[in-house]
Structure formats: structure tokens, C-alpha cells
Amino acid sequence: MTSATAPATRLSASRLTLGYADRPIVTDLDLQVPNGKVTVIVGANACGKSTLLRGLARLLKPQSGAVLLDGEVIHRQPTKHVARILGLLPQNPIAPEGVTVVDLVGRGRHPHHGAFQRWTSVDDEAVAEALELTDTLGLADRVVDELSGGQRQRVWIAMALAQGTDLLLLDEPTTYLDVAHQVEMLDLLADLNARRGTTIVMVLHDLNLSARYADHLVALRDGAVVAEGTPRQVVTEDVVRTVFGLDNRVIDDPVSHTPLVVPVSRHLRQAQPPTQELP
Amino acid sequence: MTALLTSARTRPVGAPAPVDAADVVRRARRAPRRRHRLVVGGLGAALFVAFAARVLLGDYTVTIPDFFRILTGTDIPGASYIVLESKLPRAVLALLTGVAFGVAGGLFQTTLRNPLASPDIIGVNLGASAVAVVAIALWGWQGLSVSIAAIIGAITVALVVRLVAGPHGGHRLILVGIGAAAAMQSVIQYVFTRVDEYDAQLVLRWLTGSVNGVAWPTIRLLALVLLVLLPLTWWLGRSLQISELGDDTAAGLGVPGARSELLLLLGVVLCAVAVAAAGPIAFVSFLAGPIARALNGGRTTLLGSALAGAVIVVAADYLGSYLIPDTNLPVGVVTGAIGAPFLLWLLARGRTGRRAA
Ligand SMILES: Nc1ncnc2c1ncn2[C@@H]1O[C@H](COP(=O)(O)OP(=O)(O)OP(=O)(O)O)[C@@H](O)[C@H]1O
Ligand SMILES: [Mg+2]
């Protein structure tokens, strides 16, 4: 797709209200996911990040408003057609018992198979590439149940990659990963975005990594957008205090020159006068 | 910031994959497939042996040449009658009901992700049986209408259990289902106190299941229904391996949650038509699914469940007929005796749902 004719957004939400039963969680939310960019959603636990992501991925029917994919209401498009454009990694995916890594990753190819057309060498290649990218080729014939949490998480990401979609939604893709693998996974996603132009929307908890990897940062609180824009616009002491209720300082990240949040913790304040006596 | 931080362990996007990576994938995909073929082949062979034993052996032995002569129409006094009117229909009915219960078990246990969530545990079979008994004993129904009554009973119980327990396959579903099964059992018992001749054999059939004394037209009807239902199950079941990833992942891959509902409904109907012909043969679904799964390295296999179910019913019927001299135990008594300890073991193990993530 040439940038001259590409629309600014393929996926957007307009006046979107999402919830479970009668309880609305996300209310009247407007969001335009910038095309070909990395968007990161941050916010406190239970503020509705996963709910929003599920809504964007047509997993949750809006109570009002709509999600648009390529200008059309996503819920009205054939679900398999959507699955070839938009992939999703849920927060807590479930691996069926006994399934091997290649088998699981291979299931990401499902949307590309027609009613009669089955597995081909194209699928082999796609799975191989996804495994290589996530450093899981060596686990190919292992059973997913028996992997470590971090290995399993990389296998799930491999499955999402094997789906080969233009848009990729990931709910906390770095949970269970050690710090090196976290950085590596985010590098991989940034790579994917840079080289293939894959539009990425992800929920992250680490504000500093979010600020480093996001082109577009969305801060949620109680199901509403509190701040939106570049990391520099969004990651300020005020916003962090509003969103997380956390006393903090924001300094310059010496490596990436993006904002770096340093929490001010209660424990530290108490300990500050070094001469203070213990009770 | 992009691409610069790529470490030695990962490869930049877009760089060509070395040829052997795809080979690794191909090789790794082969092993489970080979295992599955072995499982299907092994269960197929076991079914053949059990079926042959059921038809040829027992208190009246038929030689193989005689068997084929009887099948092709030669009348051998005594043998012809026993084979065509007793041994063969029993074996065929056992096979068909075993397949139906086995597939239903596989569908339920996989979709609900819980080995206890099998239709025979949660009251579907007894629901079918109860309504069938009411239809036969109180309303005098016969043939196809009994099957339809059974289907209505099974679907009703399934819906009620589902409504009361909520949409997930956890403990609640099992408890509500066991309650529903008990209620249906008392309905059956109540009906039998109301009919004039209290026939113990008939009570046993509708409470525990039996393949004894069923006429060919009923068997033919079951075969025809299965001829429609099984290909349909196969067709819809192709996405079972996507559905079993959980609602969110499956929906993300373009398989809506409604597909699982449809598969469960098919499982209910499969059970109902089998119950209409042979009664609620206890624990077949419950045993077949896990056995096939265990043989297949823990992985779902509907074909394996179907074959395992058939082996269980055919073999249990054979055992029930000849294990204890002069006693003809209905097949459901034998499967019940095998299933009960397995149920206790599963409950004692205390892990009804599978590990998440
Ligand atoms: N399936 C569900 N049914 C009912 N309520 C739900 C469901 N899923 C989430 N909720 C509720 O919706 C609210 C938002 O949940 P959500 O999962 O979107 O939070 P989140 O921002 O992703 O939190 P976390 O950072 O902990 O993942 C919570 O109060 C939660 O209890
Ligand atoms: Mg979440």
C-alpha cells in the first residue's frame, strides 16, 4: 500500500460503549488507530484495556457505537475475512492439552484455509518464519503444556504472527517474559511494524517500555481516554498521577530519550531521613 | 529504534528464512499425525476383533465360512436365525450406539474443556430416555416418533442445565447436570410404577441401556440418522481444534463461539438417537473421549472417540452376555461397572478443568 493513498486509519472506534451484561466498562470512547504505527494502551488494572481490545477485535458486541474496519462496521463483516486482516493475542490464551508448538502455531493459519483447501507448503513457511522470529523453532515438537510461562507466551505470539495480518492486537504480550525477552519481543514487534508496516495495538503495563516503543500512546482511566498522543505528550507527571494515582517524577530516558517514569513510593519517603529511628 | 536492537537470537523481519526451518516444521508436524494414524488403526483393529467375537463366538459358535454363507442368503437351520435375528443386530446396534456416544463425548469434553462434562454425566442421556419412556409407556408411540421424543428430551435437559449452570463447563455445570440426571432417573422410575406390566428388562433398558432384542427397522433408522449426522459433525468439527483454543482466540481466528454451540447441539442429538434405540448406555461417552485422548498423547480426536465408543459397547455387550454363565447382563450394567471407578478416580484427582494458559 502506498503511503500517498493509504488512509490514516483502518481501525477506529466511534462513540463506543462496551460492557458485560448491563454494566458498561468502556463508555462513549472515540479512537483512531493510526495506520502502520505502534499504538500502546496503558492504564491501571481493571480500567477496561482488555475490554477495549476485545471490542476492537469484534469479540465483544458494542452496547452502543461501533468499531470500523476499513470503513465498515466490523461486526457486520464476515468473521473469517476480518481474521485475515486483524489478528489478536488475548490476555490469557488457553492451550489445549497435548498440543505441540508447531500444531498450535499452525492453527494461526486457519483463516487462510478455505472450505476444502488445507495445509500447503506456504503454511509451513509461514509457521517456520513465525517460530524463527520468536526464537521458538527449537521448541517445535515440544508440548505447549510443558513449556515455561515465557516460552509459552512466545509460542502464542508466534501463532499471532503466523496469522500474517496487517493489524495485530496484543493484550500484554510481555507478561511472563524476563526483561531481556521483553525487550526482544517489543523489538520484534517494532521490527514487524517497520518492515512490513504491520499496524500494532498493544496493552502494556511497563510505562517506560511503552514510552519507548509507542508511536501513539493512549492512557485509559475508568474506560475513558484520559490522554492520547506521542509518549512525550502523554507521559507526564500529571497524567501518570491521574491514571495510576501514583506520585512520580518523569525524567529523560538516557538510552531512548523518551520519558522515563520514576515512582515515588511511600516506603522510600519514610526511609528518607536516614537518622529516623525505628519504633 | 526499530531493527537496530535485534539480537543474535531473533532474525530481522523480512530476511529470508533458511530452508531448513520449514523442514523442521514439516518434520515436527509429522509425529502427532503418525501417532493419530496408529491410534485410529489400533482402535479400528480392536473394533474388528470385538465385532467378530460378538458375532461368531459365544454360546453358539459360528464359523467364518458359515457366517458369510448366512449373509449371502443360505439358510443354515438354527445358525441363520441366531446370527440374523440375535447376534448380528446386537453387534451392529452396539457399534452404532458406541460411535454416536463416543463422538458426542468427544464433542462435549473438548468444547467444554472438562472430561466430566460428558453428556451421560450431565443428564442428556437420561433426559432422552425419560421422554422416550413417557412417549412409549404412556402415549404408545413407536419408531421414529420415539426418536423425536428422545431428541426433544435431550435438548430440553441440555438447555435447562445450560440455563441454570451458565455458559461455562466448570463445576457448576457438572453439579447441575448430575442433579438433572437424578431427576430424569426418577421420572423413568415413576413411569414404570404406572404401567401395568412391570417388566424388569424394560426398566433396565431405559435406565442403564441394552442392545438386546432390538429389531432391524430400529437399527436401520439409527444407521440412517447417523449417516446424516456424522458427516455433518465431521464438517463442523473441522474447526473444533480452533474452538478448543477458547472463545477469544477462536473468535480472533474467525471461528465464532456459536460454532461450539452448534457442535454441542449435534452431540445432544447424537446421544438422543442412540438412546432412542438402545437406552442410555451408561458412561460410554464419558469413557470413550478420555481413552481416545490418552492414546493420542492428550490430543483431541473425534474419530478416535467414535472408535473407542464402539469398541467399548461391542466388547461390553460380549462380556455381559458370556462373562457370568447363565446370566445375560445388559450392556449398560457392564459399562456402568467400568465407568463408575473411572468417575471416582477423576473426581478424586480433583482436576476437572484443564490448566489455563
Ligand atoms: N467476562 C467478563 N464478565 C464480566 N465482567 C468482566 C469480564 N471481563 C472483565 N470484566 C470486568 O470489566 C472490568 C475491566 O476489565 P478489563 O479486563 O478490561 O481490565 P484491564 O484494564 O484489562 O485490567 P488488567 O490490567 O488487570 O488486565 C473489570 O472490572 C472486570 O471485572
Ligand atoms: Mg487486561
Side-chain angles (χ1 to χ4, degrees), chain B residues 142-236:
Chain B
Q142 282 176 335
L144 186 63
S145 49
V146 175
S147 294
I148 292 169
I151 292 173
I152 292 170
I155 291 177
T156 309
V157 169
L159 282 180
V160 168
V161 168
R162 181 68 181 251
L163 280 178
V164 175
H168 298 289
H171 278 90
R172 233 179 114 74
L173 180 82
I174 311 304
L175 291 177
V176 174
I178 290 175
M184 290 301 115
Q185 197 159 341
S186 47
V187 167
I188 299 169
Q189 276 157 346
Y190 172 74
V191 170
F192 277 107
T193 62
R194 297 287 306 262
V195 295
D196 297 338
E197 321 151 47
Y198 190 85
D199 183 342
Q201 273 298 316
L202 211 58
V203 177
L204 266 183
R205 153 174 315 246
W206 292 108
L207 277 175
T208 57
S210 162
V211 289
N212 196 5
V214 174
W216 278 114
T218 308
I219 299 173
R220 221 168 287 138
L221 180 64
L222 175 61
L224 277 177
V225 176
L226 292 186
L227 221 54
V228 176
L229 289 183
L230 291 177
L232 192 63
T233 309
W234 172 81
W235 175 256
L236 292 170

Side-chain angles (χ1 to χ4, degrees), chain A residues 39-87:
Chain A
T39 300
V40 175
I41 301 171
V42 295
N45 286 136
C47 72
K49 304 180 296 294
S50 299
T51 304
L52 173 59
L53 216 60
R54 297 181 69 226
L56 289 175
R58 56 124 170 44
L59 267 46
L60 208 54
K61 244 199 156 82
Q63 293 180 342
S64 66
V67 174
L68 303 180
L69 176 67
D70 293 330
E72 273 182 71
V73 175
I74 197 167
H75 282 94
R76 293 215 201 100
Q77 300 183 38
T79 179
K80 209 161 172 177
H81 166 78
V82 174
R84 288 192 285 266
I85 300 174
L86 184 149

Side-chain angles (χ1 to χ4, degrees), chain A residues 45-46 48-51 91 171-172 203 205:
Chain A
N45 286 136
K49 304 180 296 294
S50 299
T51 304
Q91 187 167 3
D171 199 344
E172 300 190 26
V203 173
H205 272 301

Side-chain angles (χ1 to χ4, degrees), chain B residues 51 54-55 80-96 211-217 219 317:
Chain B
F51 192 89
R54 187 70 197 83
V55 176
S80 280
Y81 181 79
I82 289 187
V83 168
L84 289 180
E85 296 308 319
S86 167
K87 287 171 166 247
L88 194 59
R90 262 180 102 144
V92 172
L93 181 60
L95 185 145
L96 294 177
V211 289
N212 196 5
V214 174
W216 278 114
I219 299 173
D317 182 43

Side-chain angles (χ1 to χ4, degrees), chain A residues 6 9 12 21 35 76 100 108 114 120 139 161 171-172 210 220 257:
Chain A
T9 178
S12 63
N35 207 18
R76 293 215 201 100
T100 58
T120 67
L139 305 175
L161 295 185
D171 199 344
E172 300 190 26
S210 303
L220 278 193
H257 301 289

